[in-house]
Amino acid sequence: MGVNQQENDEYWMRQALQQAQKAADRDEVPVGAVLVDQSGECLASGHNQPISAVDPTAHAEIVVLRKAAKRMNNYRLPDTTLYITLEPCTMCVGALVQARVARIVFAASEPKAGAIVSALRLFETGRFNHQPEIDSGVLEAESSSLLANFFQQKRQLKKKGI
């Protein structure tokens, strides 16, 4: 990966981290996403909101795909890159394949439910008709810290009975 690509990836991942912070501020699991087209324009950004939206599918990836698809008036989003602060789950991987996202860049792996390099390795099955490029570990420490702090605060509040 060239220096320009790394700088670009870090820039967009910082935007995704800002979205993750918005989720945390709303008491949602802090995951944020940004979808960028090949010219470097942000098509959509969003964060986890299954609790506030009362929608179990309102993961950051799905929120962003829905916004971008409406904006582009197309359910296919080829030649785009998704920046996401946490490795996508099975549902989100399926949606990313259906949308034909060209590249997925994630910060932190998700050992319990990650479906790219962790719990499952769905792209290694050879079953998908679309194979995006995958990059991981971009600003991993920042994303992991945000998640760890969020869940630590949750545990402390639960201990206090709040």
Side-chain angles (χ1 to χ4, degrees), residues 68-79:
K70 281 189 189 231
R71 178 177 176 184
M72 302 308 292
N73 197 33
N74 192 344
Y75 73 107
R76 299 277 197 228
L77 300 164
D79 302 319

Side-chain angles (χ1 to χ4, degrees), residues 35-38 43 65 76-83 93 95-105 116 123 130-135:
L35 188 71
V36 179
D37 70 12
Q38 64 186 358
L43 298 176
L65 290 176
R76 299 277 197 228
L77 300 164
D79 302 319
T80 59
T81 298
L82 177 81
Y83 293 91
V93 164
L96 292 163
V97 167
Q98 293 303 312
R100 303 299 192 265
V101 170
R103 184 169 176 245
I104 302 167
V105 180
I116 296 177
F123 290 116
H130 173 70
Q131 288 286 132
E133 178 185 337
I134 306 292
D135 286 299

Side-chain angles (χ1 to χ4, degrees), residues 1 9 20 41 49 56 59 63 76 121 133 147 153:
M1 179 184 327
D9 287 351
E41 180 182 351
Q49 46 193 282
H59 290 194
V63 169
R76 299 277 197 228
R121 295 172 175 257
E133 178 185 337
L147 286 156
Q153 287 177 334

